[in-house]
Amino acid sequence: MSTNKTFTMLKPDSVEKRNIGAILEKITASGFRIVALKLTQLTHSDAEAFYAVHNERPFFGELVTYMTRGPIVAAILEKENAVEDFRTLIGATNPAEAAEGTIRNMFADSISENAVHGSDSDENAAIEGQFHFSAREMF
Ligand code: UDP
Ligand code: MG
């Protein structure tokens, strides 16, 4: 079953490079409505839990260090077919392979520091959104 919500993080590199405004503008111009939004920072254990599926991968330690080194922007987004359409909007994990005009093509530097997260399923979108936001923070 597909729902109309997804979850994103503008990762620490996007905040450091002052790209929050430009990326949010691209997201809303692409038809997504912001349901919830905050500047926050992942703890080490948050990042380990969030990326637990990758904990055997060689890049896991580097990924946790990167994702915890500074604030992120967490957001829940709404649009028809949100999960799939947002993955299309952000582009491939490796920005060198991301299509022209995608967020990772425009704002990411490398496969590890790739500007944004996008949920990969409706189930994970709900889990990830609820991790960051209480009911009174969703509009
Ligand atoms: N990542 C990395 N090296 C890799 C693959 C992934 O550093 O070879 C990082 C990158 O930040 C990526 C995250 O791990 O966004 C999660 O990987 P995944 O395969 O889930 O990619 P995504 O769903 O973010 O496109
Ligand atoms: Mg993923």
Side-chain angles (χ1 to χ4, degrees), residues 51 53-54 87 93 104 117-120 128:
Y51 287 110
V53 65
H54 295 305
R87 295 290 307 201
T93 306
R104 283 168 167 167
H117 167 80
S119 301
D120 61 8
E128 292 166 6

mmCIF file of all heavy atoms in Angstrom, residues 51 53-54 87 93 104 117-120 128, ligand 2:
data_model
loop_
_atom_site.group_PDB
_atom_site.id
_atom_site.type_symbol
_atom_site.label_atom_id
_atom_site.label_comp_id
_atom_site.label_asym_id
_atom_site.label_seq_id
_atom_site.Cartn_x
_atom_site.Cartn_y
_atom_site.Cartn_z
ATOM 1 N N TYR A 51 20.656 3.878 10.730
ATOM 2 C CA TYR A 51 21.342 3.198 9.628
ATOM 3 C C TYR A 51 21.719 1.759 9.984
ATOM 4 O O TYR A 51 22.635 1.195 9.386
ATOM 5 C CB TYR A 51 22.577 4.000 9.205
ATOM 6 C CG TYR A 51 22.216 5.268 8.447
ATOM 7 C CD1 TYR A 51 22.399 6.526 9.005
ATOM 8 C CD2 TYR A 51 21.678 5.204 7.160
ATOM 9 C CE1 TYR A 51 22.065 7.687 8.303
ATOM 10 C CE2 TYR A 51 21.342 6.345 6.457
ATOM 11 C CZ TYR A 51 21.540 7.579 7.029
ATOM 12 O OH TYR A 51 21.209 8.724 6.326
ATOM 13 N N VAL A 53 20.607 -1.020 9.229
ATOM 14 C CA VAL A 53 20.632 -1.938 8.088
ATOM 15 C C VAL A 53 22.018 -1.981 7.414
ATOM 16 O O VAL A 53 22.355 -2.966 6.761
ATOM 17 C CB VAL A 53 19.515 -1.542 7.079
ATOM 18 C CG1 VAL A 53 19.772 -0.177 6.466
ATOM 19 C CG2 VAL A 53 19.347 -2.584 5.984
ATOM 20 N N HIS A 54 22.810 -0.927 7.613
ATOM 21 C CA HIS A 54 24.143 -0.860 6.986
ATOM 22 C C HIS A 54 25.273 -1.199 7.962
ATOM 23 O O HIS A 54 26.437 -0.975 7.642
ATOM 24 C CB HIS A 54 24.389 0.554 6.444
ATOM 25 C CG HIS A 54 23.466 0.943 5.333
ATOM 26 N ND1 HIS A 54 23.316 0.202 4.187
ATOM 27 C CD2 HIS A 54 22.638 2.011 5.195
ATOM 28 C CE1 HIS A 54 22.434 0.786 3.389
ATOM 29 N NE2 HIS A 54 22.002 1.878 3.980
ATOM 30 N N ARG A 87 12.322 10.074 -3.918
ATOM 31 C CA ARG A 87 13.566 9.387 -4.329
ATOM 32 C C ARG A 87 13.969 9.837 -5.739
ATOM 33 O O ARG A 87 15.161 10.004 -6.027
ATOM 34 C CB ARG A 87 13.392 7.868 -4.277
ATOM 35 C CG ARG A 87 13.167 7.277 -2.889
ATOM 36 C CD ARG A 87 14.367 7.314 -1.976
ATOM 37 N NE ARG A 87 15.554 6.726 -2.532
ATOM 38 C CZ ARG A 87 16.594 6.293 -1.793
ATOM 39 N NH1 ARG A 87 16.564 6.372 -0.457
ATOM 40 N NH2 ARG A 87 17.643 5.808 -2.354
ATOM 41 N N THR A 93 22.133 7.619 -5.061
ATOM 42 C CA THR A 93 22.957 7.752 -3.850
ATOM 43 C C THR A 93 24.293 8.430 -4.160
ATOM 44 O O THR A 93 24.761 9.284 -3.407
ATOM 45 C CB THR A 93 23.206 6.359 -3.235
ATOM 46 O OG1 THR A 93 21.942 5.722 -3.026
ATOM 47 C CG2 THR A 93 23.951 6.457 -1.918
ATOM 48 N N ARG A 104 20.682 15.733 -5.305
ATOM 49 C CA ARG A 104 22.062 15.259 -5.103
ATOM 50 C C ARG A 104 22.974 15.708 -6.238
ATOM 51 O O ARG A 104 24.148 16.022 -6.016
ATOM 52 C CB ARG A 104 22.068 13.741 -4.921
ATOM 53 C CG ARG A 104 21.605 13.341 -3.505
ATOM 54 C CD ARG A 104 21.331 11.879 -3.382
ATOM 55 N NE ARG A 104 21.194 11.454 -1.980
ATOM 56 C CZ ARG A 104 20.714 10.268 -1.625
ATOM 57 N NH1 ARG A 104 20.315 9.393 -2.541
ATOM 58 N NH2 ARG A 104 20.620 9.946 -0.341
ATOM 59 N N HIS A 117 18.650 12.751 2.813
ATOM 60 C CA HIS A 117 18.091 11.404 2.993
ATOM 61 C C HIS A 117 16.678 11.398 2.454
ATOM 62 O O HIS A 117 15.956 12.382 2.594
ATOM 63 C CB HIS A 117 18.061 11.050 4.487
ATOM 64 C CG HIS A 117 17.224 9.832 4.786
ATOM 65 N ND1 HIS A 117 17.709 8.563 4.587
ATOM 66 C CD2 HIS A 117 15.941 9.704 5.224
ATOM 67 C CE1 HIS A 117 16.753 7.685 4.915
ATOM 68 N NE2 HIS A 117 15.674 8.356 5.301
ATOM 69 N N GLY A 118 16.267 10.289 1.892
ATOM 70 C CA GLY A 118 14.859 10.077 1.547
ATOM 71 C C GLY A 118 14.460 8.669 1.937
ATOM 72 O O GLY A 118 15.171 7.708 1.616
ATOM 73 N N SER A 119 13.324 8.525 2.615
ATOM 74 C CA SER A 119 12.868 7.193 3.037
ATOM 75 C C SER A 119 12.720 6.279 1.822
ATOM 76 O O SER A 119 12.367 6.725 0.731
ATOM 77 C CB SER A 119 11.515 7.295 3.735
ATOM 78 O OG SER A 119 11.617 8.133 4.853
ATOM 79 N N ASP A 120 12.959 4.982 2.062
ATOM 80 C CA ASP A 120 12.907 4.022 0.947
ATOM 81 C C ASP A 120 11.607 3.227 0.891
ATOM 82 O O ASP A 120 11.428 2.406 -0.013
ATOM 83 C CB ASP A 120 14.121 3.087 0.992
ATOM 84 C CG ASP A 120 14.180 2.260 2.257
ATOM 85 O OD1 ASP A 120 13.215 2.268 3.051
ATOM 86 O OD2 ASP A 120 15.212 1.587 2.462
ATOM 87 N N GLU A 128 10.528 6.659 10.606
ATOM 88 C CA GLU A 128 11.506 7.749 10.670
ATOM 89 C C GLU A 128 10.835 9.067 11.065
ATOM 90 O O GLU A 128 11.385 9.845 11.858
ATOM 91 C CB GLU A 128 12.218 7.874 9.316
ATOM 92 C CG GLU A 128 13.108 6.663 9.021
ATOM 93 C CD GLU A 128 13.579 6.564 7.576
ATOM 94 O OE1 GLU A 128 13.326 7.486 6.772
ATOM 95 O OE2 GLU A 128 14.224 5.548 7.230
HETATM 96 MG MG MG B 2 18.596 4.136 1.995
#
